[in-house]
Amino acid sequence: QVVLVESGGGSVEAGGSLTLSCAASGNTYTSYSMAWFRRAPGKGREAVAAIYYDSGSPTYADSVKGRFTISQDDDKNTLYLQMDRVKPEDTAMYYCAVATSMAQIQALGIMSPRPYIYWGPGTQVTVSS
């Protein structure tokens, strides 16, 4: 199994920056992709960004493209989400997740929540205007 713990959430003014971190432990070598999802009150879960564990190739939602950057440490045990020029609509609970199945990711897409079987408890981001 993989245990994930997010950190770095908090309050920030619109236009500012925030960096989220996700510490992964356990059988991280089984990871195929890692991703950030978010959920705002009254809204459904939304994929924000994802990264292939081995290659580091990133994918972004259109809503954050050009503003957010997903990355991982060289040891691949820490995932980051660098959030720049944040907007009030970025306010949400942010979750880190891990998928292990290449087949499921290839079938459903790296941004689909279904292949992600390990999830962190989340960290809250609040953007004030």
Side-chain angles (χ1 to χ4, degrees):
Q1 67 172 10
V2 178
V3 176
L4 305 170
V5 181
E6 303 95 338
S7 62
S11 298
V12 62
E13 293 185 354
S17 297
L18 201 65
T19 301
L20 306 183
S21 299
C22 172
S25 60
N27 298 328
T28 58
Y29 63 90
T30 65
S31 301
Y32 182 69
S33 64
M34 302 183 73
W36 290 97
F37 293 84
R38 67 186 182 187
R39 188 178 185 93
K43 298 180 64 177
R45 181 171 49 191
E46 176 189 25
V48 177
I51 189 168
Y52 289 95
Y53 187 77
D54 287 338
S55 71
S57 180
T59 302
Y60 298 98
D62 287 342
S63 59
V64 306
K65 192 173 300 181
R67 299 189 298 117
F68 292 7
T69 303
I70 188 170
S71 62
Q72 57 192 37
D73 277 353
D74 288 342
D75 63 11
K76 301 183 179 181
N77 288 328
T78 306
L79 182 73
Y80 301 98
L81 185 68
Q82 177 65 45
M83 307 168 63
D84 295 319
R85 303 187 304 281
V86 296
K87 303 175 181 179
E89 52 263 43
D90 294 323
T91 295
M93 184 73 76
Y94 283 72
Y95 301 91
C96 175
V98 166
T100 63
S101 173
M102 175 190 297
Q104 284 191 307
I105 290 293
Q106 291 181 339
L108 301 173
I110 197 170
M111 301 286 268
S112 171
R114 283 184 58 190
Y116 292 88
I117 60 174
Y118 300 112
W119 294 79
T123 186
Q124 178 68 40
V125 172
T126 302
V127 181
S128 60
S129 60

